[in-house]
Amino acid sequence: MTDGETGRVFRLAYVPGVTPAKWVNVWTERMPDVPVTLVAVSAAEVVKLLRDGGADAAFVRLPVDRDGLSVIPLYVETTVVVVPKDHAVAAVDEVAIADLSDDEVLHPLDDTIEWTVRPGLPAFTRPATTAGAVELVAAGTGLLLVPQSLARLHHRKDLTYRPMLDAPQSQVALAWPTDATTDLVEDFIGIVRGRTVNSSRGRTPASPAKKPAQRQAPKPAQNGSGRRAVPARRKGRGHRPR
């Protein structure tokens, strides 16, 4: 961290279902002088927040409008179907799209899964949010397909969920404004990618002070035969004359 970054705050946004704690914990260990401000934002508003300068980086759900943004895809989530506990789906371990052909399936306006053809029958309404759609599932007016983390986020005792074998999946990514790729953003990218603190791709740590070299006694010279040379003062010592 440079002197100019002292007192700064790193603003990290995240969409529902994403848990940034593990990356934030690493940041706190490595960058104790730069606190993190977490900004919870809906999937529909996260790109606008980044472009308006409301966050330095954000965890988003793909696809997003990438104009002016840099994006690093991170992981893919399993898609699940949320159903009442007394629904027939609750009796099986996995579900295929064809199994929902006779069910009404809710399609909230904040849905982040890309569908070529939506499964099941269209529901009577399109709720504004996933949270609202979960309430309608609990009321028995339809089923809901969401990334697994959102099913966990909106967990209710009267609902359960099962993985969908052949449904499209949601992908989580890290995004930030390309023109605002600061040193702090680079530091966070390194953490997300699992780089160690001493990684050559990360910020260069201060080099440890070198210890002064220790003097060594000079080695005695050797003659051509590999034997040690006899000191000059010892040469020519013969028998003393009588």
Side-chain angles (χ1 to χ4, degrees):
M1 185 178 65
T2 63
D3 292 339
E5 291 169 359
T6 302
R8 286 195 56 188
V9 173
F10 185 70
R11 300 162 302 162
L12 177 64
Y14 64 99
V15 297
V18 177
T19 305
K22 65 178 182 180
W23 297 294
V24 172
N25 289 341
V26 176
W27 176 279
T28 302
E29 292 175 1
R30 295 187 187 177
M31 310 283 288
D33 296 329
V34 184
V36 175
T37 296
L38 294 176
V39 183
V41 60
S42 69
E45 295 294 326
V46 64
V47 170
K48 183 177 185 302
L49 180 75
L50 286 173
R51 289 180 178 153
D52 290 346
D56 298 298
F59 289 110
V60 305
R61 289 188 184 278
L62 301 180
V64 294
D65 181 0
R66 300 193 181 198
D67 186 29
L69 298 181
S70 296
V71 178
I72 300 175
L74 298 177
Y75 60 91
V76 175
E77 282 197 73
T78 299
T79 298
V80 301
V81 56
V82 181
V83 301
K85 283 192 172 180
D86 59 357
H87 193 279
V89 165
V92 299
D93 294 330
E94 297 174 328
V95 185
I97 288 178
D99 298 331
L100 306 180
S101 58
D102 296 329
D103 290 285
E104 290 188 0
V105 178
L106 295 156
H107 184 198
L109 295 176
D110 64 355
D111 186 13
T112 58
I113 300 176
E114 281 194 296
W115 296 99
T116 304
V117 178
R118 288 196 59 80
L121 304 173
F124 72 99
T125 184
R126 287 197 67 184
T129 65
T130 297
V134 171
E135 295 294 330
L136 292 176
V137 174
T141 57
L143 309 184
L144 176 64
L145 279 72
V146 292
Q148 184 169 312
S149 66
L150 289 182
R152 291 172 176 167
L153 178 66
H154 299 292
H155 171 71
R156 290 174 53 118
K157 292 182 179 180
D158 53 350
L159 300 180
T160 187
Y161 60 86
R162 295 292 183 269
M164 298 288 299
L165 294 176
D166 50 357
Q169 296 177 313
S170 173
Q171 189 169 25
V172 173
L174 179 69
W176 68 94
T178 302
D179 292 341
T181 308
T182 64
D183 285 342
L184 294 181
V185 171
E186 289 283 7
D187 285 326
F188 193 73
I189 293 170
I191 290 172
V192 169
R193 283 183 161 167
R195 296 178 196 156
T196 64
V197 68
N198 293 323
S199 169
S200 59
R201 294 287 301 277
R203 306 274 292 279
T204 304
S207 299
K210 293 184 178 180
K211 295 181 180 180
Q214 295 182 348
R215 285 189 171 185
Q216 294 184 353
K219 294 182 179 180
Q222 294 183 345
N223 56 26
S225 63
R227 297 178 179 177
R228 291 185 179 180
V230 179
R233 59 185 177 82
R234 295 178 61 185
K235 285 185 179 180
R237 292 179 65 184
H239 296 287
R240 291 183 180 179
R242 294 183 178 179

